[in-house]
């Protein structure tokens, strides 16, 4: 069984910074991509940023230059540092990972963590 457990998130004022992290645990042979998606009320889930096992990143244009994704392969953990936050960044942020176990390769999701940007 594989789990993704997120931490961080919360309430921050516009222009502020916040970090979230996500650790994968369980029957893991290897992890391909890890990343973050977000879903605001009434909107579809969208990609925020993703990082490959080799460290190549892909970041949404809406957050480029403000958000930084990184990962610690030894700890099966992905991080998202968010800066210059805007009210439109308010959403539930979901951790994502494509994980290979003994017999399967599949996508896993975290439970989501709320990020609210408001004064």
């Amino acid at each position: 069984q594989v789990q993704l457990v997120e931490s961080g998130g919360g309430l921050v004022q516009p222009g502020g910074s916040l970090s979230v992290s996500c650790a994968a645990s369980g029957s893991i042979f290897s992890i391909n991509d890890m990343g973050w998606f977000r879903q605001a009320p009434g909107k579809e889930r969208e990609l925020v940023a993703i990082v490959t096992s080799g460290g190549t990143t892909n970041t949404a244009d809406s957050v480029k230059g403000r958000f930084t994704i990184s990962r610690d392969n030894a700890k099966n953990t992905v991080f998202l540092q968010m800066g210059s936050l805007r009210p439109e960044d308010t959403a539930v942020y979901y951790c994502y990972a494509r994980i290979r176990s003994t017999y399967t390769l599949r996508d896993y999701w975290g439970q989501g963590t709320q990020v609210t940007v408001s004064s």
Side-chain angles (χ1 to χ4, degrees), residues 12-17 82-87 117:
V12 63
Q13 291 187 342
S17 299
M82 300 176 284
S84 302
L85 282 159
R86 306 167 181 169
V117 184

Side-chain angles (χ1 to χ4, degrees), residues 89-106:
D89 295 317
T90 296
V92 178
Y93 283 68
Y94 295 93
C95 175
Y96 158 84
R98 177 161 289 183
I99 296 175
R100 181 177 295 280
S101 299
T102 305
Y103 301 110
T104 62
L105 174 65
R106 54 159 287 192

